[in-house]
Each structure stands twice: as structure tokens, then as C-alpha cells.
């Protein structure tokens, strides 16, 4: 059986592995949050304020902050839109579940365009726009931070989705293609 398009390479460069790891985590997270209505996207466990819809919005903001702002050095539109009125980015507003998915899918698609540029030799070593008193972490550090963020929230999504409707599993089915993944 052919491996899924979002699976990391069996052998490749560091940049290819990091990119593949991130795409697999994105696909896993998106699969865990896929196909839900607005009330399901707002569902929370009694012990937590997290919801799948809130995590979709939060990860859209993370994608925008890290890739658009701190790597590509452009205005982070999604991050600003989700936080403009002081609303917690984890709070799902509105009644249209498609709008929640669209926010996330657009942010990931924009990040992936930048991510493809990071496959070029030396791209990960470049300094990011993040500034710690004149020191700038490398782009590699930011990509690893996003991978870490997805690892944490994919686990949250596992628990939420299982409690919601019983969907379980480590990875999505091999034929699953998230909406942000290019179709051939």
C-alpha cells in the first residue's frame, strides 16, 4: 500500500523530515477535528476549557504567528483577526462550523507555502524575526516549536474526539487528505 502524502520521508534531509513531521501532525490533528457541527466543535470535557473548535482557532493563530509573521515577516492576518476584539482565541464564536474549519485550513495552506521554501539548503539556519534582546532564534527553532505545539494539541484532540463520539487512532487513515493538502 502506498504511504500517505503527509507521511515523513523514510530517508531525506533534516528539512524534509521536519516538514514531513509537521504535515503528519497537522493531518492527524485535522482528522481528529474533522466533520463536526458547531456544538461538537464547542464540546468540552468537564475538566478543561479546551474544545476542538478552540484548538482549530488556536493552531491557526500559531501557524500565522510563526510562519507568516516570524518566518516570512509579513502581517499576521489570522492571528490579528482572532485576537482583535480581545476575545480568547480558544472561544468558538459564530454558528458556522465551516467558518471555523476555513480559518484553520487557510492558515495551514499559507504556512505550507512558506514551509516549502524552507526545504532549500541553509533556510533553517536563518534568523527569525523573533527578538530576545537582540538575539534571533533560528527558523529551525520556530519550526520545532510548531511541531511541539501540534504534538501537545494532537493529544488533546485525541481525548476530546474520543469523548465526543469515540473516534480513536494514532494517525488518520492513509487515504485521508486534509483540505489544505494539494490535490494532484
Amino acid at each position: 500500500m502506498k504511504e500517505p502524502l503527509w507521511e515523513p520521508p523514510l530517508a531525506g534531509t533534516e528539512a524534509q523530515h521536519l516538514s514531513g513531521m509537521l504535515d503528519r501532525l497537522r493531518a492527524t490533528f485535522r482528522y481528529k477535528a474533522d466533520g463536526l457541527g458547531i456544538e461538537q466543535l464547542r464540546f468540552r470535557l468537564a475538566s478543561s476549557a479546551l474544545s476542538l473548535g478552540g484548538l482549530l482557532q488556536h493552531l491557526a493563530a500559531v501557524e500565522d504567528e510563526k510562519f507568516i509573521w516570524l518566518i516570512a515577516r509579513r502581517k499576521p492576518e489570522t492571528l490579528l483577526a482572532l485576537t482583535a476584539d480581545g476575545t480568547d482565541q480558544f472561544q468558538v464564536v459564530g454558528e458556522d462550523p465551516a467558518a471555523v474549519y476555513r480559518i484553520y485550513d487557510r492558515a495551514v495552506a499559507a504556512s505550507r507555502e512558506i514551509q516549502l521554501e524552507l526545504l532549500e539548503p541553509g533556510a533553517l539556519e536563518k534568523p527569525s524575526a523573533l527578538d530576545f534582546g537582540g538575539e534571533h532564534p533560528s527558523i529551525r527553532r520556530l519550526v520545532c516549536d510548531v511541531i511541539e505545539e501540534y504534538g501537545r494539541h494532537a493529544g488533546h484532540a485525541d481525548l476530546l474526539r474520543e469523548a465526543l463520539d469515540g473516534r480513536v487512532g494514532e494517525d488518520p487513515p492513509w487515504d485521508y487528505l486534509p483540505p489544505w493538502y494539494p490535490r494532484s
Side-chain angles (χ1 to χ4, degrees):
M1 182 173 195
K2 185 179 176 187
E3 287 190 0
L5 295 173
W6 40 260
E7 185 69 14
L10 293 176
T13 67
E14 175 192 20
Q16 290 169 332
H17 281 284
L18 291 173
S19 182
M21 289 171 58
L22 181 53
D23 277 349
R24 179 174 51 195
L25 282 165
R26 285 176 176 144
T28 299
F29 175 80
R30 183 60 167 82
Y31 176 71
K32 295 294 179 178
D34 209 9
L36 300 174
I38 198 68
E39 290 307 315
Q40 292 170 309
L41 288 172
R42 288 185 178 129
F43 170 80
R44 299 176 191 190
L45 297 172
S47 60
S48 175
L50 294 178
S51 69
L52 288 169
L55 288 171
L56 282 162
Q57 292 176 169
H58 168 66
L59 287 170
V62 168
E63 292 274 2
D64 202 48
E65 175 191 29
K66 302 295 189 199
F67 281 93
I68 303 300
W69 185 21
L70 297 175
I71 293 174
R73 299 171 188 253
R74 298 191 313 246
K75 186 176 179 182
E77 302 288 345
T78 302
L79 174 65
L80 294 173
L82 285 170
T83 58
D85 63 359
T87 303
D88 180 354
Q89 63 187 260
F90 286 97
Q91 181 183 348
V92 180
V93 295
E95 296 301 319
D96 182 9
V100 177
Y101 289 116
R102 222 175 3 259
I103 290 167
Y104 175 78
D105 292 334
R106 286 180 181 163
V108 171
S111 293
R112 288 191 81 253
E113 287 180 24
I114 296 160
Q115 179 180 326
L116 291 174
E117 296 170 16
L118 302 180
L119 296 174
E120 295 297 320
L124 293 174
E125 285 79 31
K126 292 180 180 174
S128 68
L130 186 58
D131 186 345
F132 287 109
E135 291 194 47
H136 297 270
S138 69
I139 288 174
R140 174 186 292 103
R141 168 61 190 265
L142 296 184
V143 171
C144 289
D145 286 351
V146 176
I147 290 169
E148 179 183 11
E149 190 82 8
Y150 268 99
R152 181 172 38 256
H153 293 315
H156 295 136
D158 264 346
L159 294 172
L160 286 163
R161 189 63 187 245
E162 184 176 7
L164 184 62
D165 66 6
R167 180 180 276 184
V168 296
E170 180 180 335
D171 291 326
W174 279 29
D175 61 349
Y176 178 75
L177 276 183
W180 46 262
Y181 208 91
R183 303 309 198 254
S184 50

